[in-house]
């Protein structure tokens, strides 16, 4: 056995073999050499374990298939494309919203060339990066001014730090939400330097609760839209219009954190309970914040719109430098917002809106095509079917609403659904699906038509690996 170590190929022999392998020649040479050394270490362990018995099994040609597969696998970028067959449209763990084609093109343009990011083409002097999106945000929402930061948590933080640092902010107890990653509104408020003043009960808050709490230390009245949960039954919340009256009476700003804010009304789709940004501005909120990469369907951003006097103060806050957005986000956001100038076009061209509003008939047709592709890929090794099911909007929006559709079921004899799910995480590209009642499901709502065959191929890779 000890003699077999002598027959392991040299680094030069292996690199010569790999140079002919598709996609490996372009990889950085130091990376490839490190991976080859790792592979050779694996071979040495296998020799010790008795996995090889003849010298010819250790030649560069004999090891080439395994070696090539190993290098390709380990050299893949850590940040990768994933096929989303979960049916959750705004899937936080999978990157939330997909960008529209025009937004993708805008990002590529911004990355590949110099731009007028902070350059005023009218004067030839330094300009403001926010000018690229402020006017269009005001045109769409009806607000007087706008600002964009890197996410909505930052938006809430800088609003509070600017308008209420060292003072009290009055919030209904039923609106003290926790968002993803255990970030809570009270924690964000504490970091901003504002003091939380809770009023009302979990399920019922009245106007007099707010009014009785107003005092010399009050800095603002705040509403937090409970996007990711609902309190139902014996409930009462103070309306924005009622808070506007209080704000005017006591000369206090009224702040609204919409969370997953929408510029497109989905009430016609039967999805109620999520006011649009336009509605909230029209109802009198002084400052409104919302996410860019949730129901809006753009890049990650925290958008702040409202009255000019407050937005101008927020812009001048030094913290704004720490939470500002980059040129790629600006480019993607402007391109996305331009689509909202024509709402029917926005619904058609923004992937998030298109997936949320997809008709049951269109989804059934897509499920049929997906099922056919999976049957063709797996042959007789799987039982592939279709059944009615539901998708979710995700991203904390519309938590009580199901989106009806058609699922594709896959059952492989002798393979547990959990093993199939796990094997799909190592395919190229990985595919993420879901299991319900011990049944493996693919939801075509969150797969593009061009991804149906890719999903079928991923299943073939997974089943091949599990049944070989």
């Amino acid at each position: 056995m000890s003699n077999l170590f002598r027959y392991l190929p040299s680094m030069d022999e292996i690199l010569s073999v790999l140079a002919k392998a598709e996609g490996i020649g372009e990889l950085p040479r130091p990376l490839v050499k490190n991976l080859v050394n790792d592979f050779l270490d694996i071979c040495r362990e296998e020799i010790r374990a008795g996995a090889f018995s003849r010298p010819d099994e250790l030649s560069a040609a004999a090891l080439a298939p395994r070696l090539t597969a190993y290098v390709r696998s380990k050299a893949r970028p850590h940040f990768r494309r994933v096929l989303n067959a979960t049916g959750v449209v705004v899937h936080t763990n999978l990157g939330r919203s997909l960008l529209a084609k025009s937004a993708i093109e805008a990002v590529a343009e911004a990355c590949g060339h110099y731009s007028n990011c902070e350059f005023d083409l009218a004067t030839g002097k330094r300009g403001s990066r926010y000018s690229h999106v402020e006017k269009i945000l005001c045109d769409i929402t009806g607000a007087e001014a706008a600002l964009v930061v890197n996410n909505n948590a930052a938006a809430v933080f800088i609003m509070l730090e600017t308008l209420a640092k060292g003072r009290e902010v009055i919030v209904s107890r039923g609106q003290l939400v926790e968002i993803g990653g255990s970030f809570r509104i009270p924690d964000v408020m504490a970091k901003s330097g504002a003091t939380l003043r809770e009023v009302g009960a979990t399920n019922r808050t009245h106007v007099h609760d707010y009014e009785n709490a107003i005092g010399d230390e009050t800095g603002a009245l705040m509403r937090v839209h409970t996007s990711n949960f609902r309190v139902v039954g014996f409930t009462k919340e103070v309306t924005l219009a009622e808070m506007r009256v209080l704000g005017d009476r006591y000369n206090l700003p009224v702040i609204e954190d919409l969370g997953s804010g929408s510029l497109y009304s989905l009430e016609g789709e039967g999805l109620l309970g999520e006011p649009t940004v336009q509605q909230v501005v029209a109802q009198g909120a002084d400052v409104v914040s919302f996410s860019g990469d949730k129901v809006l369907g753009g890049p990650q951003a925290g958008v702040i719109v409202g009255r000019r006097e407050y937005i101008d103060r927020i812009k001048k806050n030094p913290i704004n430098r720490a939470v500002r957005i980059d040129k790629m986000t600006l480019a993607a956001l402007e391109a996305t917002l331009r689509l909202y100038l024509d709402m029917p076009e926005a619904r058609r061209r923004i992937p998030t809106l298109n997936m949320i509003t997809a008709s049951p008939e269109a989804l059934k047709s897509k499920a049929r095509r997906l099922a056919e592709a999976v049957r063709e890929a797996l042959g007789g090794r799987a039982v592939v079917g279709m059944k009615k099911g539901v998708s979710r909007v995700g991203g904390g929006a519309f938590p009580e609403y199901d989106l009806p559709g058609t699922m594709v079921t896959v059952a492989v004899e002798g393979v547990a659904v959990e093993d199939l799910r796990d094997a799909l995480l190592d395919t190229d590209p990985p595919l993420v699906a879901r299991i319900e009642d011990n049944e493996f499901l693919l939801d075509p709502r969150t797969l593009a038509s061009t991804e149906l065959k890719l999903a079928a191929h991923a299943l073939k890779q997974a089943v091949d690996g599990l049944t070989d």
Side-chain angles (χ1 to χ4, degrees):
M1 182 186 301
S2 61
N3 290 333
L4 289 176
F5 290 105
R6 302 166 40 188
Y7 294 98
L8 282 170
S10 68
M11 178 64 73
D12 287 341
E13 287 181 276
I14 291 177
L15 292 177
S16 178
V17 170
L18 289 177
K20 302 171 187 176
E22 183 180 353
I24 293 181
E26 295 79 16
L27 294 173
R29 189 176 177 86
L31 171 63
V32 175
K33 291 181 72 172
N34 287 338
L35 293 175
V36 169
N37 281 326
D38 292 342
F39 180 80
L40 291 175
D41 285 342
I42 293 171
C43 291
R44 293 183 183 100
E45 290 299 321
E46 291 175 343
I47 290 173
R48 294 185 185 98
F52 297 100
S53 58
R54 302 190 318 273
D56 61 297
E57 294 176 317
L58 294 168
S59 68
L63 293 174
R66 275 185 63 201
L67 172 62
T68 303
Y70 179 86
V71 172
R72 282 196 181 122
S73 174
K74 297 299 181 180
R76 291 182 303 198
H78 193 272
F79 191 93
R80 300 172 57 199
R81 173 186 182 176
V82 170
L83 299 175
N84 178 12
T86 66
V88 180
V89 178
V90 185
H91 198 306
T92 296
N93 297 340
L94 301 184
R96 295 186 177 170
S97 288
L98 306 183
L99 294 180
K101 182 181 177 182
S102 58
I104 295 170
E105 292 170 349
V107 171
E109 185 80 2
C111 293
H113 308 279
Y114 290 108
S115 65
N116 62 333
C117 179
E118 287 191 348
F119 185 78
D120 190 332
L121 293 173
T123 64
K125 298 179 181 179
R126 179 169 182 160
S128 167
R129 67 180 57 205
Y130 306 113
S131 64
H132 302 294
V133 292
E134 182 168 21
K135 184 179 184 304
I136 193 169
L137 276 167
C138 293
D139 289 344
I140 294 170
T141 66
E144 294 177 359
L147 171 68
V148 184
V149 293
N150 60 4
N151 62 29
N152 192 48
V156 173
F157 175 82
I158 196 171
M159 285 193 308
L160 293 171
E161 209 276 344
T162 304
L163 304 179
K165 183 178 181 180
R167 307 188 72 188
E168 291 183 346
V169 177
I170 304 174
V171 185
S172 169
R173 185 168 282 108
Q175 296 174 2
L176 299 179
V177 302
E178 177 179 303
I179 60 176
S182 299
F183 290 98
R184 297 177 176 179
I185 287 294
D187 297 336
V188 174
M189 190 174 294
K191 288 295 184 182
S192 75
T195 301
L196 170 65
R197 180 71 182 272
E198 299 178 34
V199 296
T202 302
N203 61 322
R204 291 179 69 81
T205 303
H206 303 271
V207 172
H208 61 77
D209 291 319
Y210 283 92
E211 191 157 22
N212 291 342
I214 294 174
D216 293 340
E217 299 302 311
T218 305
L221 307 177
M222 184 174 184
R223 280 169 49 95
V224 181
H225 184 58
T226 55
S227 298
N228 56 0
F229 75 97
R230 293 286 185 267
V231 177
V232 297
F234 187 57
T235 63
K236 172 72 170 67
E237 277 292 353
V238 176
T239 67
L240 181 55
E242 291 171 323
M243 288 186 69
R244 177 69 273 153
V245 172
L246 285 179
D248 290 340
R249 184 179 301 163
Y250 295 97
N251 194 30
L252 293 170
V254 177
I255 300 170
E256 174 110 11
D257 171 24
L258 272 176
S260 180
S262 176
L263 298 176
Y264 181 94
S265 176
L266 292 164
E267 291 190 1
E269 311 298 326
L271 298 174
L272 309 175
E274 293 285 338
T276 64
V277 178
Q278 297 93 311
Q279 291 169 336
V280 174
V281 170
Q283 289 167 12
D286 291 308
V287 188
V288 184
S289 71
F290 53 97
S291 294
D293 60 341
K294 292 184 178 179
V295 178
L296 191 149
Q300 177 178 297
V303 185
I304 308 171
V305 300
R307 290 174 57 183
R308 185 173 302 282
E309 62 176 291
Y310 296 118
I311 300 297
D312 285 348
R313 286 171 60 186
I314 296 170
K315 286 180 180 178
K316 294 174 183 176
N317 190 322
I319 292 172
N320 195 22
R321 176 81 177 186
V323 297
R324 71 179 185 178
I325 59 174
D326 70 339
K327 62 184 179 182
M328 292 180 286
T329 304
L330 275 169
L333 183 60
E334 182 190 13
T336 303
L337 292 171
R338 288 174 68 87
L339 296 175
Y340 278 100
L341 297 174
D342 184 332
M343 290 297 176
E345 277 296 288
R347 173 178 173 168
R348 184 177 69 85
R349 295 172 60 184
I350 295 175
T352 296
L353 293 183
N354 187 266
M355 285 187 274
I356 291 173
T357 61
S359 70
E361 295 77 18
L363 292 169
K364 185 174 183 179
S365 175
K366 188 190 284 189
R368 189 177 295 114
R369 299 196 306 275
L370 176 59
E372 289 171 357
V374 173
R375 288 192 191 99
E376 182 180 345
L378 298 183
R381 294 184 292 172
V383 176
V384 182
M386 293 168 51
K387 62 179 290 187
K388 290 183 178 179
V390 296
S391 314
R392 307 291 295 188
V393 173
F398 304 100
E400 75 274 45
Y401 289 102
D402 294 328
L403 303 174
T406 303
M407 311 294 116
V408 173
T409 64
V410 181
V412 182
E413 186 176 356
V415 175
V417 289
E418 293 83 3
D419 292 339
L420 181 58
R421 175 198 60 198
D422 294 345
L424 283 163
L425 301 181
D426 195 40
T427 58
D428 188 19
L431 184 147
V432 183
R434 71 181 198 247
I435 296 173
E436 288 182 0
D437 300 324
N438 201 38
E439 197 169 31
F440 186 84
L441 302 180
L442 302 171
D443 190 332
R445 183 187 295 271
T446 47
L447 289 169
S449 294
T450 55
E451 293 179 325
L452 302 185
K453 289 189 176 181
L454 278 176
H457 181 64
L459 277 163
K460 182 179 185 303
Q461 292 178 61
V463 173
D464 286 347
L466 290 167
T467 57
D468 280 350

